[in-house]
């Protein structure tokens, strides 16, 4: 078991509704477009597949997809959308779990900041090693993750807001010495009360991930500022990085 927090049935039940913005066509379509191109005829493995926000439409696009998911309730939500025969899911952690067909995948991918759920550097390295273990020669590992917003931290301040609205307020706090962060969420409920949630993460820099890839025997092929392949610059708030397993 890794240090990832295991998402509960309550979290899984509301996940799709509260993250509905991530299902918007302008968000999801560029994601599926790039992943489908990189996968070719597949197969593809999604680490931390969750409720299938990306895996299900990628499968509908014609790419054979399998998944690994730590949370059984999250996998159950996916199973309500598509059956096991169509999109198999292994319950386990993404750093060590091995699925059938390891060594034959054209694509392994990890989206929406989920590499940060592994809260130690060793576990993040093991995730890269596990991705490489599943890839065929010439296959690619893709990660989508935010760039730590530390430029927005004034001296002595440890919190950065990322969403301030009438229905939700969110901010991240950072421990710069340990690269640990916590995302705090305050969400308005139907009765007008507010629910507080928090999740813990380990933030990383793009070059640190490149080193992890090298340890796993992967080579950086491309880095974009988003799924639409916009250039990655020092102003980018996230990156989509592609590493390739040598042929």
């Amino acid at each position: 078991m890794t240090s990832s927090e295991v998402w509960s049935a309550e979290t899984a039940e509301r996940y799709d509704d509260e993250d509905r913005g991530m299902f918007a066509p302008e968000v999801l379509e560029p994601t599926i477009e790039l992943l489908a191109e990189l996968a070719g005829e597949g197969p593809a493995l999604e680490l931390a597949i969750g409720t299938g926000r990306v895996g299900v439409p990628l499968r509908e696009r014609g790419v054979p997809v399998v998944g690994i998911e730590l949370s059984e309730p999250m996998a159950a939500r996916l199973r309500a959308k598509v059956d096991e025969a169509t999109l198999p899911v292994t319950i386990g952690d993404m750093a060590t779990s091995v699925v059938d067909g390891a060594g034959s995948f054209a694509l392994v991918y990890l989206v929406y900041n989920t590499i940060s759920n592994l809260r130690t550097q060793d576990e993040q390295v093991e995730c890269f090693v596990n991705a490489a273990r599943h890839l065929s020669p010439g296959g690619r590992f893709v990660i989508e993750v935010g760039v730590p917003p530390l430029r927005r931290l004034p001296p002595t301040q440890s919190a950065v807001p990322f969403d301030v609205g009438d229905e939700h307020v969110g901010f991240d706090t950072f421990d710069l010495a340990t690269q640990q962060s916590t995302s705090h969420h305050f969400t308005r409920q139907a009765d007008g009360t507010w629910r507080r949630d928090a999740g813990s993460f380990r933030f990383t820099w793009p070059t640190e991930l490149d080193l992890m890839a090298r340890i796993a025997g992967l080579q950086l092929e491309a880095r974009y500022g988003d799924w639409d392949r916009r250039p990655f610059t020092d102003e980018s708030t996230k990156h989509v990085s592609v590493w390739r397993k040598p042929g």
Side-chain angles (χ1 to χ4, degrees):
M1 182 65 69
T2 71
S3 61
S4 295
E5 296 173 350
V6 183
W7 290 17
S8 66
E10 181 183 1
T11 300
E13 181 70 25
R14 62 175 185 258
Y15 181 83
D16 285 0
D17 287 338
E18 293 193 347
D19 258 12
R20 55 186 175 274
M22 296 301 294
F23 290 81
E26 63 269 23
V27 174
L28 197 51
E29 288 177 4
T31 306
I32 301 304
E33 184 69 27
L34 181 55
L35 290 176
E37 179 180 324
L38 293 174
E41 296 181 356
L45 168 65
E46 180 170 356
L47 305 180
I49 195 169
T51 66
R53 178 183 69 91
V54 174
V56 171
L58 185 61
R59 178 65 182 82
E60 292 171 348
R61 180 69 176 265
V63 178
V65 177
V66 302
I68 294 174
E69 173 55 43
L70 185 60
S71 167
E72 292 192 40
M74 292 287 280
R77 297 293 294 174
L78 182 154
R79 193 56 58 232
K81 303 173 185 178
V82 62
D83 62 41
E84 175 72 17
T86 302
L87 203 167
V89 176
T90 295
I91 301 299
D93 72 83
M94 59 185 167
T96 61
S97 296
V98 179
V99 305
D100 290 343
S104 65
F105 286 88
L107 176 70
V108 178
Y109 64 96
L110 182 57
V111 301
Y112 202 15
N113 302 318
T114 312
I115 186 67
S116 301
N117 287 13
L118 299 171
R119 292 180 290 172
T120 72
Q121 187 181 68
D122 285 345
E123 288 171 346
Q124 290 174 344
V125 169
E126 285 304 310
C127 184
F128 273 81
V129 171
N130 200 31
R133 177 184 298 122
H134 284 85
L135 287 173
S136 61
R140 295 172 173 91
F141 182 33
V142 178
I143 282 182
E144 173 195 24
V145 65
V147 177
L150 303 190
R151 293 172 61 185
R152 297 175 59 192
L153 279 178
T156 75
Q157 182 173 308
S158 63
V160 174
F162 58 84
D163 185 34
V164 180
D166 294 336
E167 305 301 321
H168 177 262
V169 175
F171 63 91
D172 291 328
T173 53
F174 297 89
D175 184 329
L176 305 188
T178 63
Q179 289 184 227
Q180 298 297 310
S181 65
T182 302
S183 286
H184 307 265
H185 299 266
F186 295 85
T187 307
R188 188 189 296 274
Q189 305 301 287
D191 62 2
T193 61
W194 290 80
R195 186 186 73 249
R196 180 175 186 266
D197 300 294
S200 299
F201 307 95
R202 180 182 187 271
F203 62 87
T204 57
W205 300 98
T207 51
E208 182 183 11
L209 296 177
D210 290 342
L211 184 57
M212 294 181 189
R214 288 181 61 189
I215 291 171
L218 305 176
Q219 301 171 348
L220 181 66
E221 182 175 73
R223 173 162 291 133
Y224 307 111
D226 210 336
W227 292 101
D228 59 7
R229 306 192 206 209
R230 70 186 65 176
F232 177 74
T233 72
D234 60 1
E235 299 298 326
S236 298
T237 59
K238 64 185 285 186
H239 63 98
V240 175
S241 295
V242 183
W243 297 275
R244 186 174 181 272
K245 184 174 182 177

